[in-house]
Each structure stands twice: as C-alpha cells, then as structure tokens.
Amino acid sequence: MKTAGASHGVEVYKHPQNSDAYFLRSDNGSFAHAGVLAHTLTVAFAFADYHLVDDEADRFDYENMALVCDVIADAVLRLSNAENPPKWTDVPAAQPYLERWKRLRGG
C-alpha cells in the first residue's frame, strides 16, 4: 500500500489513534469477522467534521478522490501479484480474524 501511494505522491500511513478504531466501523469489518483479509483505507481523519452537520457533498474533492482511486487500483494490482501476499498476523487484536481465516482455509 505504501509503495503504491508513494508512486502517486500519496503518503499511506497508520494513524496512531484512529486507524485501529476505524477498522471495525468500516465496510470491511464484516469481511474481517468472516476471516477474509480486508484492508481499510480512509482520508476522513483529515476532516474534523466528518459525518457531522457541516459535512456536505459540495465539499467533495473529486480530483483527490480520483487520485485515491488510482492509488487503490495500483495497490490492489501490486497485492494480487505479490510473491508474499498479505495475511493476518498473530498480534492479539488479529487473533479472531486469523482463526476464522484458518477455518476458511480448512484448518
């Protein structure tokens, strides 16, 4: 992900407070609960009024949205061709997902 972002001039990073909390609130939470590896990407941490009253559609940055889509497409292509594809780690927070992933794989 970071390599794809860098090739487009976009910094990809894990936010120290919001990333882990956002993970299960995102659409991919259902995939993760089933054991399917699921990445979360967001640009919402930059906006203090995200999903609040002042968060209106006229504030969309379509140029940035296109750039983010390009980065995601590039990252997905890189991940699909990776010699070492992503996998759940054995850190405590990932244990439930790792166990479900193992069950999906037949053991």
Side-chain angles (χ1 to χ4, degrees):
M1 294 287 193
K2 288 182 179 185
T3 302
S7 72
H8 295 269
V10 174
E11 180 186 10
V12 176
Y13 63 94
K14 181 177 178 179
H15 190 278
Q17 288 86 30
N18 296 335
S19 290
D20 288 343
Y22 191 82
F23 179 73
L24 289 178
R25 293 191 323 240
S26 67
D27 294 338
N28 64 317
S30 296
F31 289 111
H33 283 298
V36 176
L37 190 65
H39 292 78
T40 300
L41 299 172
T42 184
V43 297
F45 302 139
F47 304 102
D49 62 351
Y50 179 65
H51 281 325
L52 297 176
V53 175
D54 292 334
D55 188 10
E56 297 288 338
D58 64 343
R59 296 178 56 212
F60 285 157
D61 181 345
Y62 293 101
E63 187 175 324
N64 188 59
M65 289 170 72
L67 177 59
V68 170
C69 288
D70 287 345
V71 170
I72 292 170
D74 188 358
V76 168
L77 183 61
R78 290 169 189 261
L79 290 170
S80 68
N81 292 316
E83 287 185 29
N84 297 309
K87 53 186 157 243
W88 292 111
T89 63
D90 60 358
V91 298
Q95 282 303 302
Y97 316 120
L98 177 59
E99 293 304 317
R100 290 182 186 114
W101 179 84
K102 287 177 183 177
R103 279 189 253 146
L104 282 176
R105 299 281 186 253

